[in-house]
Amino acid sequence: MSAVLDLTRELVARPSVTPDDAGCQALLGERLAAAGFNVTPLRFGDTDNLWATHGSGAPLLALVGHTDVVPPGPLTEWTSPPYEPTIRDGQLYGRGSADMKASIAALTLAAIDFVRTHPDHRGTLAILYTSDEEGSAANGIRKVMPWLAEQGLKIDHALIGEPSSGQRLGDRIRIGRRGSMHCHLKIRGVQGHVAYPQLARNPVHEFAPALAELVALRFDEGNAHFPPTTMQIYEMRCGTGANNVIPGELDLSFNFRFGTASSEQSLRGQVEDILRRHGLDFDLRTRVASAPFLTTTPQLIDAVVASVRAVLGVETVQDTGGGTSDGRFIAPTGAEVVELGPVNASIHKVDECVAIADLEPLEATYRQVIEKLLV
Ligand SMILES: [Zn+2]
């Protein structure tokens, strides 16, 4: 059995449901320390984080990942238990196998192998793992970044092992992510008796034409790196519970996924325009949960693209799709951020799995990226 399969299995066997690390980082920290890394466990609140470095100075390449996993869901639906790593038909099954314990194992072993062959490499090779990426993300990379700044450390390149691939390993990398903005809208009417609508103002009826416009609106056309912004309503509430009362208020929650073609202000402005044009009495609150980010300088992207080509024989696609990632906390410090990891078809699902044939090539690809940047 290969070392990377072995280590992936050891990690999957630890039920590290977010934010519980379940001993994954202790295991990895031991391996890294034995290879000569300086290992610093960083616990913030309920979350274990691991910072380990080899070498010093710039450039600082950080290999980034999370040891936590999402809950397994109904155990009876799993073909084999989620924390019993099981091999079937060339796949390794288990919660976290693809998201992202295979990457964690591959990143760790690539780093260890690199410093063994290049003990005097230039710059700093760093490992940055957290255990709250899948949860609140409050005490993970968000807290580590200011800690690094206090130590006078700045990440130049961050290679994140998130499962970025679509059909086959390496066919897609992420060079940025869309932002996410939450909106809460209250439409005020006047409560009354359904038999006397002339004495009330029904907020649902007043809002209906504005709602039709809102859901039909194209907020932007996207740009070279981001698809057009999308908006989805996820909650709508009104009513008093009585069938003879016109409600006095309507509450609506919706979420934007947006690229750099829009901003909080521009999206908010477009929503307010529609509401005003329809003469609505409203209150709109917006909150950006994560800003969009995009790596525009070529060093890390070029290193990853060339390594994917050389090791995997794949011409990769540079993409900004998907949800958000911990890259949102790293990119604002000026770091280049690229995500490369296994096929994401089974992530967060029952019977999550990773192709065993992809594990060694993934490690070799990471290994080559490190080499391109630190030799
Ligand atoms: Zn993940």
Side-chain angles (χ1 to χ4, degrees):
M1 194 183 297
S2 73
V4 61
L5 173 57
D6 226 19
L7 183 54
T8 307
R9 286 165 53 116
E10 281 195 65
L11 293 170
V12 171
R14 287 167 166 76
S16 54
V17 175
T18 189
D20 185 4
D21 164 71
C24 292
Q25 291 176 20
L27 171 72
L28 299 162
E30 264 171 45
R31 301 273 190 108
L32 289 162
F37 278 78
N38 248 316
V39 177
T40 313
L42 293 168
R43 186 162 171 100
F44 297 118
D46 57 3
T47 299
D48 285 310
N49 303 282
L50 184 74
W51 174 253
T53 60
H54 191 280
S56 61
L60 193 161
L61 165 63
L63 310 177
V64 183
H66 60 87
T67 51
D68 59 324
V69 300
V70 295
L75 294 178
T76 50
E77 290 189 20
W78 283 74
T79 310
S80 49
Y83 305 113
E84 265 174 43
T86 305
I87 295 174
R88 283 195 305 277
D89 309 323
Q91 305 280 328
L92 174 67
Y93 286 87
R95 172 55 85 224
S97 52
D99 187 8
M100 57 178 281
K101 288 178 168 177
S103 317
I104 291 274
L107 287 168
T108 306
L109 295 178
I112 289 172
D113 185 58
F114 175 77
V115 303
R116 192 178 294 139
T117 6
H118 300 279
D120 301 315
H121 61 84
R122 73 192 194 103
T124 308
L125 179 60
I127 292 280
L128 172 51
Y129 296 155
T130 183
S131 66
D132 87 336
E133 198 273 345
E134 300 286 12
S136 68
N139 292 311
I141 309 291
R142 188 196 294 270
K143 292 265 169 71
V144 175
M145 294 313 291
W147 180 86
L148 289 178
E150 278 168 32
Q151 318 301 309
L153 294 168
K154 187 192 166 302
I155 295 175
D156 297 294
H157 319 287
L159 176 60
I160 306 182
E162 285 292 349
S164 63
S165 302
Q167 304 299 317
R168 56 173 296 192
L169 182 64
D171 63 359
R172 183 172 59 205
I173 62 172
R174 309 271 195 210
I175 59 165
R177 292 277 191 156
R178 291 178 297 176
S180 167
M181 178 168 91
H182 295 292
C183 303
H184 300 285
L185 174 64
K186 186 185 281 298
I187 307 286
R188 276 181 291 264
V190 174
Q191 188 177 313
H193 196 299
V194 294
Y196 303 94
Q198 71 278 14
L199 300 178
R201 271 179 41 228
N202 190 325
V204 180
H205 294 203
E206 291 192 351
F207 181 55
L211 174 63
E213 263 191 56
L214 199 59
V215 299
L217 186 64
R218 246 177 120 76
F219 288 88
D220 62 49
E221 295 301 320
N223 55 26
H225 295 290
F226 288 94
T229 289
T230 60
M231 185 277 285
Q232 286 295 305
I233 294 170
Y234 60 87
E235 200 170 295
M236 212 165 159
R237 257 188 302 192
C238 69
T240 61
N243 60 10
N244 56 0
V245 178
I246 294 170
E249 287 180 345
L250 166 66
D251 287 291
L252 194 76
S253 300
F254 48 104
N255 175 267
F256 282 100
R257 292 299 160 113
F258 65 107
T260 46
S262 284
S263 65
E264 178 177 16
Q265 290 71 27
S266 72
L267 296 172
R268 197 190 158 94
Q270 291 179 85
V271 174
E272 285 175 338
D273 271 357
I274 292 176
L275 300 172
R276 282 205 198 93
R277 203 146 22 76
H278 288 275
L280 295 165
D281 179 6
F282 68 90
D283 178 47
L284 175 66
R285 284 182 296 127
T286 57
R287 181 175 67 85
V288 172
S290 56
F293 65 88
L294 179 69
T295 296
T296 51
T297 52
Q299 257 187 303
L300 178 59
I301 294 176
D302 286 355
V304 173
V305 168
S307 301
V308 167
R309 187 183 297 133
V311 179
L312 306 174
V314 173
E315 241 5 271
T316 197
V317 170
Q318 301 175 23
D319 174 281
T320 56
T324 189
S325 82
D326 273 341
R328 69 188 143 140
F329 303 122
I330 303 173
T333 64
E336 297 184 328
V337 175
V338 173
E339 300 174 28
L340 165 66
V343 171
N344 67 7
S346 68
I347 64 171
H348 294 209
K349 292 185 179 173
V350 161
D351 285 347
E352 179 178 349
C353 61
V354 68
I356 290 166
D358 285 348
L359 297 180
E360 286 187 71
L362 181 63
E363 180 189 338
T365 310
Y366 290 151
R367 173 76 172 70
Q368 190 157 131
V369 175
I370 303 169
E371 189 136 337
K372 282 187 191 299
L373 293 168
L374 296 186
V375 171

mmCIF file of all heavy atoms in Angstrom, residues 5 87 145 186 230 303 360:
data_model
loop_
_atom_site.group_PDB
_atom_site.id
_atom_site.type_symbol
_atom_site.label_atom_id
_atom_site.label_comp_id
_atom_site.label_asym_id
_atom_site.label_seq_id
_atom_site.Cartn_x
_atom_site.Cartn_y
_atom_site.Cartn_z
ATOM 1 N N LEU A 5 -1.856 6.575 0.506
ATOM 2 C CA LEU A 5 -3.111 5.860 0.786
ATOM 3 C C LEU A 5 -3.178 5.504 2.267
ATOM 4 O O LEU A 5 -4.219 5.672 2.919
ATOM 5 C CB LEU A 5 -3.198 4.594 -0.090
ATOM 6 C CG LEU A 5 -4.377 3.653 0.198
ATOM 7 C CD1 LEU A 5 -5.711 4.374 0.078
ATOM 8 C CD2 LEU A 5 -4.339 2.445 -0.741
ATOM 9 N N ILE A 87 -11.931 0.050 0.923
ATOM 10 C CA ILE A 87 -11.587 0.081 -0.510
ATOM 11 C C ILE A 87 -12.553 -0.814 -1.274
ATOM 12 O O ILE A 87 -12.750 -1.986 -0.927
ATOM 13 C CB ILE A 87 -10.132 -0.392 -0.720
ATOM 14 C CG1 ILE A 87 -9.171 0.609 -0.063
ATOM 15 C CG2 ILE A 87 -9.824 -0.541 -2.211
ATOM 16 C CD1 ILE A 87 -7.724 0.192 -0.064
ATOM 17 N N MET A 145 -4.566 34.137 10.441
ATOM 18 C CA MET A 145 -3.949 35.186 9.616
ATOM 19 C C MET A 145 -3.434 36.363 10.450
ATOM 20 O O MET A 145 -2.294 36.790 10.271
ATOM 21 C CB MET A 145 -4.906 35.643 8.510
ATOM 22 C CG MET A 145 -5.220 34.582 7.455
ATOM 23 S SD MET A 145 -3.783 33.693 6.801
ATOM 24 C CE MET A 145 -2.983 34.992 5.870
ATOM 25 N N LYS A 186 -37.454 43.797 4.804
ATOM 26 C CA LYS A 186 -38.780 43.867 5.432
ATOM 27 C C LYS A 186 -39.635 44.829 4.613
ATOM 28 O O LYS A 186 -39.214 45.954 4.351
ATOM 29 C CB LYS A 186 -38.654 44.361 6.878
ATOM 30 C CG LYS A 186 -39.974 44.332 7.653
ATOM 31 C CD LYS A 186 -39.849 44.929 9.044
ATOM 32 C CE LYS A 186 -39.226 43.972 10.037
ATOM 33 N NZ LYS A 186 -40.001 42.730 10.266
ATOM 34 N N THR A 230 -25.429 35.822 -9.293
ATOM 35 C CA THR A 230 -26.741 35.192 -9.130
ATOM 36 C C THR A 230 -27.335 35.560 -7.775
ATOM 37 O O THR A 230 -26.608 35.857 -6.821
ATOM 38 C CB THR A 230 -26.656 33.650 -9.216
ATOM 39 O OG1 THR A 230 -25.792 33.179 -8.176
ATOM 40 C CG2 THR A 230 -26.115 33.206 -10.567
ATOM 41 N N ALA A 303 2.994 27.819 -11.886
ATOM 42 C CA ALA A 303 3.626 26.629 -11.300
ATOM 43 C C ALA A 303 2.633 25.471 -11.237
ATOM 44 O O ALA A 303 2.980 24.319 -11.529
ATOM 45 C CB ALA A 303 4.155 26.950 -9.902
ATOM 46 N N GLU A 360 -1.298 9.047 -5.542
ATOM 47 C CA GLU A 360 0.139 9.278 -5.780
ATOM 48 C C GLU A 360 0.371 10.378 -6.815
ATOM 49 O O GLU A 360 1.242 11.235 -6.610
ATOM 50 C CB GLU A 360 0.833 7.959 -6.138
ATOM 51 C CG GLU A 360 0.979 7.080 -4.900
ATOM 52 C CD GLU A 360 1.817 5.834 -5.154
ATOM 53 O OE1 GLU A 360 3.036 5.957 -5.320
ATOM 54 O OE2 GLU A 360 1.227 4.739 -5.189
#
